[in-house]
Amino acid sequence: MEQERQSESTEKSSSEAPNGSLSNEDNERDRPDGDALTLPSFVAGSGTLDRLVDTARDYARAAASENTLKAYSKDWAHFARWCRMKGAEPLPPAPEIIGLYLADLASGSGPSPALSVSTIDRRLSGLAWNYAQRGFTLDRKNRHIATVLAGIKRKHARPPVQKEAILAEDILAMVATLPFDLRGLRDRAILLLGYAGGLRRSEIVSLDVHKDDTPDSGGWIEIFEKGALLALNAKTGWREVEIGRGSKDQTCPVHALDQWLHFAKIDFGPVFVGTSRDGKRATETRLNDKHVARLIKRTVLEAGIRSELPEKERLALFSGHSLRAGLASSAEVDERYVQKQLGHASAEMTRRYQRRRDRFRVNLTKAAGL
């Protein structure tokens, strides 16, 4: 909480002009979320309207995920700080200044290293979102922005670096490294459920036992005889994910989930929580999605996956997305079922997750008579 207050303070100071503080009007306009939503000046307030304003602000804050909002907030803080150091103003948007900012990010001429094209593109999206929240429109097609960005992409663009897929034999080796204490039961359930469901890190840790158990819930679970049904509020909206029972208890995600809930005595609230220091009791605190990333990297090392590589390279190869890519690459079923499980809007997106699965399966060279 203290870090958030410090971050907020830093962001506000970064947005101030070099020779003084912003006016009250600018402070209102500079807010990056729904707090700036107010009644028009010509409308007299009332209890009913004020409550609706509060409701509208809540909906506005829910327009993007917490991680996205954090990233956009950091994007704005970085840009505002850059403007202050260059003697420029972040408000209102000046395409010429933004074009120079993008060039600085790409060239690495400052103290920071050059950023990748995808990161620069993301930074620009963050600025556009922030300007929209402040009542401005950022024209990304303006020549001062569009031509600079096109040049950056032409000069620096590289094929996207994809995380390594965790295949079936890998996930089995990873869960085999876990003990059968309370933490081991929890982490085993996280890995198997994330793999079988093709879940994102945030989707795993946002699960509750029941619908509406907590305000920050991202979904809930129902366990049946044939498997578990997950209702998820994901990036593409609500979707259901079916996770069938495995061929044996040792590798069954539903059995692992059952074991964790039973021994942790969890029947309400977040599914995946922390444990006490002695590891004998589950707490009520929901795990952060970074726990999933750390768990994957740790078990990859302990299982000896890609052991021919140096440890640093092995750690860089795997992340939370490795679980989703692993399901997409390992499941020998019709592509449309994988697409539905991952919640992708297009088959093309699903194919990006299928690491090497379909390479050379169809040989068009031979089919063409060569």
Side-chain angles (χ1 to χ4, degrees):
M1 194 68 182
E2 183 62 28
Q3 288 179 342
E4 290 179 4
R5 284 197 291 267
Q6 290 174 357
S7 175
E8 182 180 351
S9 174
T10 301
E11 184 178 338
K12 287 181 180 178
S13 65
S14 300
S15 302
E16 293 177 357
N19 56 353
S21 60
L22 294 171
S23 66
N24 289 337
E25 180 182 352
D26 286 338
N27 276 327
E28 279 291 315
R29 190 175 54 191
D30 194 47
R31 290 177 183 169
D33 54 30
D35 289 342
L37 294 176
T38 59
L39 288 172
S41 58
F42 55 83
V43 175
S46 67
T48 303
L49 287 176
D50 289 343
R51 284 192 295 273
L52 284 175
V53 168
D54 290 338
T55 302
R57 287 174 177 170
D58 289 339
Y59 282 131
R61 294 187 192 101
S65 71
E66 183 180 351
N67 286 342
T68 299
L69 292 176
K70 285 181 180 178
Y72 285 169
S73 178
K74 290 179 180 178
D75 291 341
W76 180 257
H78 187 274
F79 175 65
R81 193 180 305 113
W82 182 89
C83 286
R84 189 176 71 251
M85 293 173 63
K86 304 299 181 185
E89 293 281 354
L91 293 170
E96 298 87 348
I97 293 297
I98 294 173
L100 295 177
Y101 175 64
L102 299 181
D104 198 12
L105 295 179
S107 64
S109 56
S112 301
L115 299 182
S116 67
V117 173
S118 60
T119 301
I120 293 172
D121 223 356
R122 209 292 317 284
R123 286 273 179 95
L124 184 58
S125 296
L127 293 185
W129 184 90
N130 275 281
Y131 275 122
Q133 303 310 301
R134 292 159 172 83
F136 297 101
T137 299
L138 177 61
D139 182 11
R140 295 182 58 159
K141 294 182 179 179
N142 182 284
R143 63 189 178 90
H144 294 286
I145 298 175
T147 54
V148 171
L149 187 59
I152 290 172
K153 290 181 176 180
R154 184 177 180 85
K155 188 172 183 178
H156 298 295
R158 299 184 300 272
V161 178
Q162 294 182 317
K163 294 299 181 180
E164 191 85 358
I166 292 174
L167 303 179
E169 59 270 24
D170 299 328
I171 197 71
L172 295 179
M174 289 163 66
V175 297
T177 67
L178 297 171
F180 285 90
D181 57 8
L182 202 57
R183 288 175 186 154
L185 292 177
R186 178 197 64 194
D187 291 344
R188 184 174 284 100
I190 287 175
L191 289 177
L192 291 174
L193 200 71
Y195 183 80
L199 306 179
R200 300 177 178 90
R201 296 183 309 174
S202 57
E203 292 172 342
I204 296 172
V205 298
S206 68
L207 284 171
D208 277 1
V209 178
H210 309 105
K211 182 181 179 181
D212 299 329
D213 275 359
T214 63
D216 60 340
S217 169
W220 66 92
I221 60 173
E222 293 181 81
I223 298 179
F224 302 96
E225 182 181 347
K226 292 186 177 181
L229 183 66
L230 278 54
L232 296 173
N233 188 8
K235 290 183 177 181
T236 54
W238 282 98
R239 81 178 197 272
E240 289 186 342
V241 173
E242 297 178 7
I243 299 181
R245 292 188 182 272
S247 55
K248 52 186 177 180
D249 285 348
Q250 293 90 328
T251 59
C252 173
V254 183
H255 179 76
L257 179 61
D258 264 330
Q259 292 286 291
W260 159 245
L261 293 176
H262 172 72
F263 287 103
K265 300 178 181 177
I266 296 175
D267 56 9
F268 183 85
V271 171
F272 294 113
V273 296
T275 59
S276 58
R277 289 193 175 185
D278 60 10
K280 295 180 179 180
R281 177 179 55 84
T283 68
E284 296 180 355
T285 305
R286 187 189 301 276
L287 286 179
N288 187 286
D289 65 345
K290 291 180 181 178
H291 174 83
V292 181
R294 290 193 295 263
L295 172 63
I296 289 171
K297 291 178 182 294
R298 174 168 59 83
T299 52
V300 159
L301 289 180
E302 292 177 355
I305 297 170
R306 297 300 302 271
S307 58
E308 75 278 7
L309 298 175
E311 181 176 310
K312 187 176 180 180
E313 289 185 31
R314 293 166 66 194
L315 289 174
L317 277 177
F318 297 94
S319 74
H321 263 67
S322 297
L323 294 178
R324 287 168 63 76
L327 176 74
S329 302
S330 299
E332 296 289 342
V333 295
D334 192 293
E335 189 178 75
R336 69 180 186 273
Y337 295 114
V338 179
Q339 180 182 341
K340 179 177 182 292
Q341 189 83 338
L342 297 183
H344 288 155
S346 68
E348 179 60 33
M349 178 59 72
T350 302
R351 293 186 193 110
R352 295 182 190 177
Y353 280 74
Q354 293 173 329
R355 312 285 195 264
R356 303 185 301 274
R357 191 183 86 163
D358 293 322
R359 288 182 184 173
F360 307 113
R361 182 171 293 185
V362 176
N363 191 327
L364 291 180
T365 306
K366 291 182 177 179
L370 300 180

